[in-house]
Amino acid sequence: MTAFPRPRLIATDLDGTLLCSGGTVTTRTAAALAAAEAAGVQVVFVTGRPPRWMQHLGAHIGGHGVAICSNGGAVVDVRRGELLETYPFDPARTLSVTDLIRAELPGTAFAFEFPDGFAREPGYNVVMWESDKEHPVGTAAELLAAGQVDGLFKVLGKHPDLAPDEFLDRARAAVGPLAEVTRSSPIPLVEISAPGVTKASSLARWCAQQGIEAAEVVAFGDMPNDLEMLAWAGQSYAVANAHPLVLAAVARHTVSNEQDGVAAIIETLI
């Protein structure tokens, strides 16, 4: 592999990139992350996961400093479990976005992420850790009008039967410049943020606060929601299991998440 100068910051996606099946980190990857931080290199997790899901990873990712969550919508201090910043979505604009997508793609149901938790429409089936928790349920119009999702920083749209990439393409076309629309799930699920809010925008803002330039960042990812970040960073790698769009867009590849692809590169840099 070509040798590069040691970066000042490592930015890595979690699911499908750093984490193995089951959401765990191998001993090798944990050691590589620890070695990076011991060498003075910041490690920042940049994920589509909401802040409330970071607590489930504590045993696997350790106490690394910062996580940029919800595709850039929120910044979390992992060590302290503290929400540092959010980039909220205007409620009126949010309702316009949901109306446009639903008009183009009937059957779409929505959910909302905000600092105090999660809310959903009745047709949005909950899975993973939300399934056993109480949360507001109502139509998008009801939830937004009632202020039950104040400060929301991400909207989720789920369709019952479209192919995931078709759903993404059509949702983007319906919304236009009103929002950022992307995806990271293997199911037909789109992830929607305020205009200009992406993994890249929040990572760039964090790096600027630390005096770190894009050229000093190495980034890793696997899905369309990583594309802006991978384009921004000075060095970027797609894991072998990445979405075809990511593999095509990123010149440098590493082995899959199951083969410690992120660790394999970190070991050459530290």
Side-chain angles (χ1 to χ4, degrees), residues 65 77-82 84:
D77 183 317
V78 177
R79 291 188 177 94
R80 294 185 294 176
E82 178 183 347
L84 301 177

Side-chain angles (χ1 to χ4, degrees), residues 7-192:
R8 292 184 62 194
L9 186 143
I10 293 167
T12 179
D13 174 54
L14 291 174
D15 297 285
T17 300
L18 185 78
L19 304 181
C20 294
S21 298
T24 60
V25 171
T26 67
T27 300
R28 179 185 178 187
T29 293
L33 295 175
E37 291 207 323
V41 180
Q42 284 194 46
V43 175
V44 174
F45 301 115
V46 191
T47 177
R49 288 186 179 222
R52 66 186 180 281
W53 283 6
M54 296 305 294
Q55 62 183 317
H56 301 283
L57 294 174
H60 305 303
I61 62 175
H64 300 282
V66 171
I68 294 171
C69 297
S70 297
N71 294 329
V75 182
V76 177
D77 183 317
V78 177
R79 291 188 177 94
R80 294 185 294 176
E82 178 183 347
L83 193 62
L84 301 177
E85 292 181 287
T86 64
Y87 302 99
F89 207 159
D90 175 73
R93 183 185 292 260
T94 302
L95 187 57
S96 295
V97 166
T98 59
D99 286 347
L100 286 167
I101 293 176
R102 199 168 352 238
E104 171 64 22
L105 299 160
T108 303
F110 295 95
F112 306 89
E113 296 175 359
F114 52 101
D116 290 335
F118 171 83
R120 65 179 178 89
E121 294 191 309
Y124 189 100
N125 294 327
V126 289
V127 294
M128 299 181 76
W129 298 288
E130 273 80 33
S131 58
D132 61 352
K133 294 184 178 180
E134 293 292 329
H135 48 256
V137 178
T139 67
E142 290 168 345
L143 292 168
L144 292 163
Q148 294 188 72
V149 295
D150 284 349
L152 75 96
F153 43 73
K154 184 178 175 183
V155 179
L156 301 163
K158 188 182 291 187
H159 196 274
D161 49 36
L162 282 176
D165 284 333
E166 179 188 358
F167 186 32
L168 173 61
D169 291 344
R170 293 178 63 184
R172 278 179 170 169
V175 168
L178 289 179
E180 303 293 335
V181 184
T182 189
R183 82 173 189 87
S184 62
S185 172
I187 66 173
L189 177 72
V190 293
E191 303 163 44
I192 307 165

Side-chain angles (χ1 to χ4, degrees), residues 12 24 92 179 258 261 267-268:
T12 179
T24 60
E258 300 292 347
E267 290 163 358
T268 70

